[in-house]
Amino acid sequence: MDFFSFFKSKKTKSKDEAKNRLQLVLVHDRANVSPEFLETLKGEILEVILKYAEIDRDEYDIQLTGVQSEDGQRQIPALVANIPITRMKHCAEAESRG
């Protein structure tokens, strides 16, 4: 392994991370939502999901990100959720808690 290539890949990785962070900032700006609004939205989404399923609360992730529009000309906001479900609740159980 080339000693200098090790450092070069770190710079590229750092550059890519900075680019991704900037894109996230732009998406948040275009979606016109505050961090507080996003946190409220996440909480309400989790409340609804918890009515029907048990989840791994240490592993879930909900983010506002950007995706390419259908015409490929711009990035548009998208809500992306990765919520590991540990168990689905039965309908009667979910209704009694809801």
Side-chain angles (χ1 to χ4, degrees):
M1 181 168 126
D2 182 19
F3 179 75
F4 293 107
S5 68
F6 176 75
F7 291 107
K8 186 176 181 181
S9 66
K10 288 276 188 185
K11 289 180 183 177
T12 303
K13 201 175 220 182
S14 178
K15 179 186 89 172
D16 291 340
E17 286 178 24
K19 181 180 175 183
N20 288 339
R21 287 184 188 142
L22 178 59
Q23 286 178 339
L24 268 176
V25 168
L26 292 172
V27 167
H28 278 84
D29 187 49
R30 287 183 186 142
N32 198 24
V33 297
S34 68
E36 294 82 16
F37 175 82
L38 188 55
E39 288 305 311
T40 301
L41 182 62
K42 287 179 185 181
E44 290 182 13
I45 288 170
L46 285 177
E47 283 179 33
V48 170
I49 291 172
L50 288 171
K51 286 182 181 182
Y52 303 98
E54 291 178 11
I55 65 167
D56 185 344
R57 291 179 184 248
D58 295 327
E59 295 295 323
Y60 79 90
D61 184 32
I62 301 173
Q63 297 180 20
L64 185 63
T65 188
V67 296
Q68 283 295 107
S69 62
E70 287 185 13
D71 61 9
Q73 298 297 314
R74 56 193 164 86
Q75 280 217 339
I76 56 175
L79 189 64
V80 178
N82 180 11
I83 305 172
I85 297 172
T86 56
R87 185 178 78 88
M88 295 301 295
K89 297 178 181 178
H90 296 286
C91 290
E93 181 184 353
E95 287 176 7
S96 68
R97 292 184 184 192

